[in-house]
Amino acid sequence: MKRIFRAIFRYFVKGLLVVLPLGAAFFLIFWAFSSVDDALNLSDKIFVDPQTGKPLYIPGLGLLSVIIVILVAGFMATYLITEPIYNWFNKWLNKLPIFKFIYSSVKDLTEAFVGDEKKLNEPVLVEDSHGFKRIGFLTQKDLSNIGLEGDVAVYFPWSYSFAGQVMIVKADQVKPLNMSSAQAMKFIVSGGVSSLN
């Protein structure tokens, strides 16, 4: 009888290891898409059901409109907007006090992960005075303009989170890692359990 219960428990644990990550991934993707769609879907304010006269909600229209806006913006930025216009637009946005802070923060965060100039592209290892080592990303190599000669800025993401912290460390404490940014981020965010292959 014990053997049967042990076998059932083993099957249950193996099944859990298969179902839980799949279920969590599908749930998070579904939640993200449905949240964006609910927030941006204006179909019930634009369209009316001709038979009942009630607002007509079309699922997915909010997400589709966001994708179209992003694609059009990308096309315009690639083919129509020249460097002087882009610089003028950024300069104009920087004159709006609160909007400037939010816009520049989101822009920097987005550029850190995607785009032509990814900012988090140098994974490094930093050892502290106690001998503990942490993996992070080198974000600033020269801090002399704020009086910190010989120091660098390193961003340390937190495990199981999209948050992290920036620390100023001595340049000689930083050792480049022979791994891609994606591998390093995956390893950190997974709490070190992700494969390094």
Side-chain angles (χ1 to χ4, degrees):
M1 197 69 166
K2 273 186 179 179
R3 243 186 347 207
I4 294 171
F5 280 123
R6 230 179 279 142
I8 291 171
F9 181 72
R10 193 169 64 246
Y11 295 148
F12 180 79
V13 169
K14 283 193 176 180
L16 194 66
L17 290 172
V18 172
V19 172
L20 194 62
L22 276 173
F26 280 121
F27 173 77
L28 285 172
I29 291 167
F30 175 77
W31 174 80
F33 277 88
S34 61
S35 298
V36 169
D37 188 48
D38 285 346
L40 301 171
N41 197 328
L42 302 175
S43 60
D44 56 347
K45 294 174 180 56
I46 299 170
F47 303 111
V48 176
D49 189 342
Q51 294 174 340
T52 62
K54 291 182 178 178
L56 184 64
Y57 180 80
I58 303 170
L61 195 64
L63 200 58
L64 182 65
S65 61
V66 170
I67 291 169
I68 290 170
V69 167
I70 291 170
L71 286 173
V72 169
F75 177 81
M76 288 175 64
T78 305
Y79 295 107
L80 304 176
I81 299 174
T82 60
E83 194 71 27
I85 294 172
Y86 181 75
N87 292 337
W88 172 83
F89 182 69
N90 272 336
K91 198 182 290 183
W92 182 76
L93 285 176
N94 285 333
K95 290 180 181 175
L96 305 172
I98 297 172
F99 190 82
K100 170 192 171 182
F101 173 74
I102 297 168
Y103 171 75
S104 62
S105 300
V106 173
K107 183 173 178 275
D108 289 344
L109 182 66
T110 307
E111 286 178 349
F113 294 100
V114 294
D116 295 331
E117 301 175 24
K118 293 186 187 79
K119 303 281 194 314
L120 301 181
N121 59 358
E122 289 189 57
V124 294
L125 189 72
V126 178
E127 186 172 354
D128 67 16
S129 56
H130 302 291
F132 292 110
K133 297 175 182 173
R134 294 182 71 185
I135 295 175
F137 295 90
L138 189 62
T139 54
Q140 294 287 337
K141 295 179 181 178
D142 183 15
L143 298 174
S144 56
N145 59 336
I146 56 171
L148 297 171
E149 290 83 5
D151 290 341
V152 294
V154 180
Y155 172 70
F156 295 101
W158 292 335
S159 297
Y160 303 104
S161 171
F162 290 105
Q165 66 181 140
V166 174
M167 295 185 74
I168 309 300
V169 297
K170 294 288 178 196
D172 56 10
Q173 288 181 282
V174 175
K175 178 184 173 187
L177 282 173
N178 186 24
M179 64 194 310
S180 71
S181 300
Q183 283 177 315
M185 186 64 82
K186 190 176 173 188
F187 182 74
I188 296 165
V189 173
S190 71
V193 298
S194 176
S195 170
L196 291 173
N197 294 330

